[in-house]
Amino acid sequence: VEGLAGAHPARAEALRKMLDLHGRKLWHQLTVKLEELVATPDLAPGLLAELYRGFVATFADRVNPLKLAHVIVAVAAGMADKGE
């Protein structure tokens, strides 16, 4: 996540906050923050896919499955746009 924060300075604060919540094992709060990020309309291309692969996948089994599905749909939509 730190690498993503450096690569996407506009989202650095939100990414670091999510890393903090992960470290404190606050899964609900982390999920809420992740949903807020997913709902942001002006995300850099590929940010969600990178975030999912490198971060979300590590705790996916600890969050609400419905909320996780919402995040995955947003990630997949971004990947479809890029042709990944």
Side-chain angles (χ1 to χ4, degrees):
V1 173
E2 285 297 324
L4 286 174
H8 303 279
R11 302 288 172 236
E13 183 178 339
L15 292 168
R16 287 190 184 103
K17 177 66 176 174
M18 288 192 303
L19 187 60
D20 175 58
L21 294 170
H22 181 272
R24 295 178 6 197
K25 299 182 180 178
L26 297 172
W27 308 122
H28 174 73
Q29 293 86 341
L30 178 56
T31 305
V32 169
K33 202 58 143 162
L34 185 58
E35 284 185 301
E36 289 173 5
L37 183 67
V38 166
T40 305
D42 60 340
L43 288 177
L47 174 62
L48 288 180
E50 292 177 52
L51 185 65
Y52 184 82
R53 286 185 198 119
F55 184 58
V56 177
T58 66
F59 63 88
D61 60 330
R62 300 179 187 268
V63 299
N64 179 314
L66 185 59
K67 293 183 182 283
L68 180 62
H70 180 253
V71 170
I72 291 171
V73 166
V75 170
M79 293 172 85
D81 292 343
K82 289 177 53 178
E84 288 184 37

